[in-house]
């Protein structure tokens, strides 16, 4: 069985010179995972850190590549873990401008869309697999209100309205070490991030439903 997994990564934003999401997916160009259930082809696509244009780029990539699964990846500076996201919310509320200078405040992503969409990925199974591999990971219950959440919501809206046979979701990753030389913030090596995405891809391709374990938070 052949499975096609589209994996997206944003370009640098917010004054950073690199974006770990983009650097990681570059490493995955041409990557094929073979296991006892078949072949998984990873298709990396760069996405602009721009409201509106990010969803348009994703739509174009999905139409061109016809994936079975879509995993969008974004930088979450300050987080210690790889964090698969549970929910996308229908609001843009930008703390800083995007790469085109847009800074929407309290705006709906889709005017007539639902308040939120749940992920289509087995996020708890992904977290367990990452932890078993020695990679810090946890479920996140907020993707923010910047371009990451914007793209996550846009993806889930596309899947629910135009591509009902495709599953997808969003994963946040920490800074790279070179990004925190002048910051007091956690980081993770690019090798670990790339390995984490590979594991997430394989678990998503092979597990249709999530495991039933606690991953809740008090606040």
């Amino acid at each position: 069985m052949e499975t096609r997994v589209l994996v997206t990564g944003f370009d640098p934003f917010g004054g950073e010179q690199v974006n770990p999401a983009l650097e990681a997916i570059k490493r995955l160009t041409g990557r094929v995972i073979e296991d006892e259930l078949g072949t998984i082809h990873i298709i990396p696509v760069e996405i602009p850190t721009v409201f509106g244009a990010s969803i348009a780029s994703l739509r174009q990539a999905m139409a061109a590549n016809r994936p079975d699964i879509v995993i969008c990846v974004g930088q979450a500076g300050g987080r210690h873990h790889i964090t698969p996201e549970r929910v996308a919310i229908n609001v843009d509320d930008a703390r800083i401008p995007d790469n085109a200078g847009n800074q929407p405040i309290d705006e709906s992503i889709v005017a007539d869309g639902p308040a939120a969409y749940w992920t289509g990925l087995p996020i708890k199974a992904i977290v367990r697999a990452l932890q078993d591999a020695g990679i810090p990971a946890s479920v996140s219950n907020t993707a923010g209100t910047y371009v990451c959440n914007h793209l996550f919501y846009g993806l889930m809206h596309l899947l629910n309205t135009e591509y009902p046979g495709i599953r997808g979701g969003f994963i946040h990753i920490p800074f790279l070490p070179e990004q925190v030389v002048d910051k007091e913030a956690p980081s993770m090596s690019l090798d670990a991030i790339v390995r984490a995405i590979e594991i997430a891809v394989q678990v998503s391709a092979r597990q249709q439903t999530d495991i039933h374990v606690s991953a809740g938070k008090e606040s």
Side-chain angles (χ1 to χ4, degrees), residues 51 55 87-95 103-117 142-154:
F51 291 100
I55 296 175
V87 61
I89 60 174
N90 190 12
V91 66
D92 290 331
D93 193 3
R95 180 180 60 83
Q103 192 173 2
I105 297 173
D106 297 336
E107 295 182 10
S108 296
I109 299 167
V110 178
D112 58 348
Y117 283 114
T142 174
T145 55
Y146 193 55
V147 184
C148 287
N149 175 75
H150 179 88
L151 182 65
F152 183 16
Y153 186 93

Side-chain angles (χ1 to χ4, degrees), residues 51-97:
F51 291 100
S54 56
I55 296 175
S57 293
L58 176 63
R59 181 193 292 272
Q60 183 177 23
M62 290 176 65
N65 293 285
R66 293 292 171 177
D68 301 292
I69 297 169
V70 181
I71 300 176
C72 299
V73 182
Q75 168 192 294
R79 293 193 186 180
H80 294 74
H81 292 181
I82 303 292
T83 48
E85 297 292 346
R86 190 193 298 263
V87 61
I89 60 174
N90 190 12
V91 66
D92 290 331
D93 193 3
R95 180 180 60 83
I96 59 174

